[in-house]
Amino acid sequence: MNKSKSKKNKQTSSIWGGRFKNDSSQIMKSINASIWFDKRLASHDIMLSKEHSNMLYKQEIISYRENNKIQKGLNQIKKEIIEEKFHFSDELEDIHMHIEARLIELIGDAGKKLHTARSRNDQVATSFKMWVKDELDSVLILIKNLQESLIVQAELHIDTILPGFTHLQPAQPISLAHHLLAYVEMLGRDKTRIEDAKKRLNKCPLGAAALAGTSFPIDRFYTAKALGFDGPMENSIDAVSDRDFVLEVLSNASIIMVHLSRLAEEIVIWASPGFNFITLPDSFSTGSSIMPQKRNPDAAELIRGKTGRVSSAFYNVSTMLKGLPLAYSKDMQEDKEPFFDAIDNLKICLSVAEGLIKEMIFNVSSMKKMAELGYIIATDIADFLVKECNVPFRDAHSITGKVVKYAEKNNLTLDRITLDQYKKIDKRITGNILTVITLKNSLESRNSYGATAPIMVKKAIKKAKSRWLK
Ligand code: ARG
């Protein structure tokens, strides 16, 4: 603990230590160090430094020889990191200082010029943004894969009937494909939200330096373009203090997790023997250590369980930011761990959901059985009365209520009621009802735009493929 005391009078070892007489205490070094998590930014930070150095040379701020040495040194460092030969320690705080210190070690004075006209403030904002951009590209691919697995299953189940629920009470017959396509739509919106965020975050902070810009004749448009951005951020103060890109992506990630969690919840319910709508694939279920009969939906439960973790990352970072005066404050270093954690978990959940859907076994007969039980064609009886028997909808609703009551009392499904029995309930009911009121007819009759009739679902699948899988 008292290292700082014993080291009194020893010149500080850190890169920024010129004005300090003593080294910082060990405990200070541990709270300050972000290296153990921000080393994930290494390759992006090196890319950034290479282009910064190219720009310094192009602008005649450093020489050809110096740039050459810097490029070679940075390549060497990249290799060391990939080969796990690079030495990390608390002493050098973060990835930016590690790379710079090693560069100086490798190439001497030229290395000391790399930090000309930049600061760690614009550096961290830039390399973090670059990292986020790449991650978003992989998230987009994972979303597409999940959409594809849903569409593939949908194609197999256009005519599979299951009870659609409201309030988790059987409501109306629907096509399983139609149900699965609802998730494709949700994921589609997720995708467009990410694409939209990507456009906004594609402005480069580099060159804002500490907060006020620099007196060196730099070319921010050059570095922005070389690093894959549309252009430089407009305001240097905003450039180093903006973490909207973190918040935006975390809020998008939270919405995706909400969608995955609802899917997971349905999987848990559907896999429960009371429903038995699905059998979980062996590859995505677990057994119990004590109850040999069990097949547990752990994969789905973990997706559901991780949702809080991802959405809390948004609260974490927004709460950290909300009281910060402009421009950079060290609080902002706390943006990375929750972000990394959220993105890692989002990605694993998307992959697991894809695997689950791909290998899911749908128990078509159990779905049909429940559809037959729950009086779910009651709305069709009411619609029939309106269309064929000229009964106003409110009256039709009340007559159908009586039909259901009658069926319940006599332990009948609706298709077992005879015409005589119908007539006793209301004499306006005609014979046609017996042929019209079936699950299949009910499903086929709902052919409005965006509805569940197989003919519409077929069209929806075609459209979904061209919208999302191209
Ligand atoms: N590790 C820091 C972070 O992640 C880098 C920026 C440090 N800047 C500074 N002025 N201390 O935010």
Side-chain angles (χ1 to χ4, degrees), residues 52 55-56 61 115-119 122 206-220 236:
H52 179 68
M55 183 278 292
L56 291 177
I61 300 167
H115 211 53
T116 312
R118 76 173 190 193
S119 146
D122 59 339
L206 194 63
L211 79 164
T214 173
S215 59
F216 289 96
I218 59 170
D219 183 351
R220 290 190 63 204
S236 64

Side-chain angles (χ1 to χ4, degrees), residues 16 32-35 37-38 41 93-97 119-125 128 210 243 328-336:
W16 41 255
N32 208 22
S34 55
I35 185 59
F37 49 87
D38 68 18
L41 304 179
E93 277 186 49
D94 58 23
I95 188 63
H96 322 292
M97 305 253 267
S119 146
R120 269 189 299 156
N121 297 351
D122 59 339
Q123 194 181 348
V124 70
F128 194 19
R243 291 295 182 274
Y328 177 87
S329 299
K330 195 59 172 264
D331 314 47
M332 289 162 83
Q333 180 164 284
E334 292 293 315
D335 59 1
K336 284 172 214 69

Side-chain angles (χ1 to χ4, degrees), residues 233-379:
M233 285 179 83
E234 293 301 327
N235 179 299
S236 64
I237 300 172
D238 180 47
V240 292
S241 58
D242 166 46
R243 291 295 182 274
D244 289 2
F245 64 99
V246 177
L247 291 181
E248 227 179 310
V249 172
L250 285 177
S251 83
N252 292 348
S254 309
I255 298 174
I256 301 173
M257 286 303 296
V258 168
H259 293 160
L260 296 184
S261 186
R262 294 180 79 172
L263 175 63
E265 171 72 359
E266 295 209 300
I267 291 172
V268 171
I269 293 173
W270 288 6
S272 170
F275 274 74
N276 192 34
F277 282 8
I278 52 172
T279 304
L280 290 167
D282 285 355
S283 48
F284 284 99
S285 37
T286 55
S288 157
S289 55
I290 178 169
M291 298 162 282
Q293 84 282 12
K294 296 257 276 189
R295 175 186 279 276
N296 293 331
D298 294 36
E301 290 168 298
L302 283 165
I303 292 175
R304 196 175 55 185
K306 283 174 187 291
T307 304
R309 186 167 171 174
V310 175
S311 60
S312 68
F314 175 85
Y315 292 109
N316 186 335
V317 178
S318 57
T319 309
M320 176 275 285
L321 283 170
K322 79 175 186 57
L324 297 189
L326 300 183
Y328 177 87
S329 299
K330 195 59 172 264
D331 314 47
M332 289 162 83
Q333 180 164 284
E334 292 293 315
D335 59 1
K336 284 172 214 69
E337 281 169 294
F339 192 87
F340 291 152
D341 185 73
I343 290 292
D344 290 346
N345 281 291
L346 173 67
K347 280 163 68 182
I348 195 168
C349 289
L350 281 165
S351 304
V352 169
E354 184 208 340
L356 265 168
I357 295 294
K358 216 184 230 165
E359 294 180 40
M360 183 102 71
I361 301 143
F362 290 98
N363 302 328
V364 173
S365 62
S366 302
M367 291 182 178
K368 180 121 191 273
K369 220 185 215 159
M370 192 186 279
E372 280 161 351
L373 282 181
Y375 308 117
I376 66 173
I377 51 175
T379 319

Side-chain angles (χ1 to χ4, degrees), residues 5-70:
K5 248 189 195 164
S6 64
K7 278 192 183 167
K8 236 183 193 158
N9 300 328
K10 183 183 168 266
Q11 183 65 47
T12 156
S13 56
S14 101
I15 276 187
W16 41 255
R19 82 180 290 294
F20 290 83
K21 206 158 107 207
N22 295 317
D23 224 349
S24 44
S25 75
Q26 205 49 48
I27 191 83
M28 174 58 199
K29 281 178 186 161
S30 13
I31 191 173
N32 208 22
S34 55
I35 185 59
W36 306 115
F37 49 87
D38 68 18
K39 59 180 175 179
R40 291 179 75 158
L41 304 179
S43 72
H44 293 91
D45 199 62
I46 290 172
M47 250 187 277
L48 177 161
S49 287
K50 288 174 69 102
E51 292 305 340
H52 179 68
S53 178
N54 281 334
M55 183 278 292
L56 291 177
Y57 161 62
K58 182 181 87 71
Q59 298 300 100
E60 298 178 358
I61 300 167
I62 62 172
S63 71
Y64 176 82
R65 242 177 74 86
E66 285 162 340
N67 182 33
N68 218 358
K69 277 188 164 180
I70 292 173

